[in-house]
Amino acid sequence: MIPKEIIQKIRRVQITTSRKVTDVFAGQYQSVFKGLGIEFEEVREYIPGDDIRSIDWNVTARIGHPYIKKFVEERELTIMILLDVSMSSMFGTRARMKSNLAAEFCSVMAFSAIKNNDKVGMITFSDRIENFIPPRKGTKHVLRVIRETLYNKPIGKGTDINCVLEYFSRVTKRSAITFLVSDFISPDFSKLLNVTNKRHDIIAVTVTDPMELELASSGIISMRDAETGDRAIIDTASSGIRAHYRATIQKKIIERDKMFKSAGVDRIDIITNKSYVEPLKLFFKTRARRIARG
């Protein structure tokens, strides 16, 4: 039985995100994602004027005169959301927790999908697969996706992105637009990310809290790793310690972003003390510009 406050929260997220889809992202989703996919329809005889790049050389050699492969635009897309629900997602020092920000972002993408008659599915994961919702259409289905983002009880504590990418490749046979939503605090997953992005269109959505980027000067504090349980006493009043922390985090971010770039994965950065609207609009704008360039 879902608690009453969670049901109310689902309703609030539904109202807020559906408005943003209509008012802010109307048309942008469709212009960026629609028409990206094509599927094979048939082989037919070559007609003068056809693009010679479409010639099926195997059939041509077998029959003795030119044949081409005919493709049609794939109008229905599959949107998959891979959502990190590990213990580190339950962190937040400002307006909200990372998990709440991720839930709103996922809801916007889910509503955008059904508004354009696409299917949407979700896999929640930690250091294991927590839940799989197969891609479907309809408002009722999207509400199930939203419920899963807001009301999940993960068994695992850590984060294993290799695990979700491997599972995703097994259960999703059709190419999908895939939003991988995480803080990416995970063992190395670069090799599998590279392989998976060759078949699917993966967009990495990084979810961060300001305190994860820079320590505030708050004196001596006790810090605990949410995923491992390890504790440490840190003197945050020390400028040297804060500088070392900042440099370490920046190095990790640079390495992570290089990995995304090497794999050809687009990135959307969202942070708990700011709206996700501007980063998402920037993503749509950048993609649209790239598509226009061909």
Side-chain angles (χ1 to χ4, degrees):
M1 186 70 177
I2 300 177
K4 185 178 179 181
E5 61 270 20
I6 296 295
I7 294 174
Q8 291 172 341
K9 195 170 185 180
I10 292 170
R11 180 60 180 160
R12 283 198 301 272
V13 169
Q14 178 191 6
I15 293 170
T16 302
T17 56
S18 59
R19 279 178 184 164
K20 283 178 179 173
V21 169
T22 302
D23 299 339
V24 182
F25 304 119
Q28 294 183 325
Y29 170 99
Q30 188 171 27
S31 66
V32 167
F33 292 135
K34 283 297 182 184
L36 287 183
I38 58 172
E39 59 183 2
F40 174 74
E41 185 178 42
E42 63 179 351
V43 174
R44 64 164 174 79
E45 286 191 65
Y46 175 83
I47 300 171
D50 284 337
D51 189 341
I52 61 172
R53 292 174 297 181
S54 300
I55 292 177
D56 188 324
W57 294 107
N58 290 329
V59 175
T60 297
R62 191 166 63 247
I63 296 178
H65 54 273
Y67 272 74
I68 68 164
K69 290 180 181 178
K70 184 181 176 184
F71 294 87
V72 293
E73 190 176 70
E74 191 176 13
R75 297 308 303 170
E76 181 185 282
L77 300 179
T78 299
I79 305 297
M80 283 298 297
I81 299 169
L82 314 184
L83 176 63
D84 177 0
V85 294
S86 63
M87 289 303 293
S88 63
S89 70
M90 305 301 292
F91 180 74
T93 59
R94 301 292 175 87
R96 51 194 161 182
M97 290 192 295
K98 291 193 291 183
S99 58
N100 289 336
L101 176 61
E104 285 190 35
F105 178 89
C106 294
S107 300
V108 161
M109 298 320 303
F111 273 113
S112 296
I114 64 158
K115 190 175 181 65
N116 286 275
N117 202 37
D118 292 330
K119 294 180 180 179
V120 60
M122 170 176 277
I123 301 172
T124 55
F125 70 98
S126 54
D127 50 22
R128 66 198 73 193
I129 301 304
E130 299 288 349
N131 195 16
F132 171 46
I133 302 176
R136 290 195 179 92
K137 297 180 182 181
T139 303
K140 186 176 180 180
H141 177 70
V142 167
L143 290 176
R144 182 187 174 196
V145 170
I146 294 174
R147 183 185 68 194
E148 183 62 24
T149 66
L150 293 170
Y151 187 63
N152 56 75
K153 296 182 178 180
I155 298 172
K157 293 184 177 181
T159 307
D160 188 345
I161 292 176
N162 281 310
C163 170
V164 72
L165 290 176
E166 184 179 356
Y167 179 82
F168 170 59
S169 296
R170 286 204 317 269
V171 299
T172 310
K173 303 304 179 186
R174 188 178 182 181
S175 179
I177 308 293
T178 307
F179 291 90
L180 176 54
V181 186
S182 176
D183 54 20
F184 295 95
I185 303 171
S186 170
D188 180 62
F189 56 94
S190 55
K191 185 176 180 181
L192 202 49
L193 182 69
N194 233 309
V195 172
T196 310
N197 195 49
K198 283 180 171 60
R199 181 179 171 193
H200 302 281
D201 180 6
I202 296 183
I203 298 108
V205 183
T206 70
V207 188
T208 311
D209 184 84
M211 191 172 173
E212 294 174 317
L213 302 175
E214 186 162 357
L215 289 175
S217 181
S218 305
I220 297 175
I221 62 172
S222 174
M223 300 183 72
R224 182 177 68 87
D225 188 309
E227 296 190 356
T228 66
D230 294 342
R231 289 184 176 274
I233 304 296
I234 299 176
D235 182 6
T236 60
S238 167
S239 59
I241 288 177
R242 294 200 308 275
H244 176 72
Y245 178 88
R246 189 187 312 116
T248 301
I249 294 300
Q250 287 303 315
K251 182 181 178 182
K252 289 181 178 179
I253 290 173
I254 290 169
E255 289 173 351
R256 181 200 67 192
D257 293 349
K258 280 183 178 178
M259 174 188 64
F260 291 150
K261 188 174 181 179
S262 175
V265 169
D266 282 339
R267 192 181 85 241
I268 303 171
D269 299 321
I270 58 177
I271 191 164
T272 57
N273 65 336
K274 295 180 181 178
S275 169
Y276 56 84
V277 170
E278 288 307 316
L280 190 50
K281 285 169 69 176
L282 177 62
F283 163 75
F284 282 133
K285 185 177 179 180
T286 304
R287 273 236 168 171
R289 192 183 302 128
R290 193 163 70 223
I291 291 169
R293 289 199 305 262

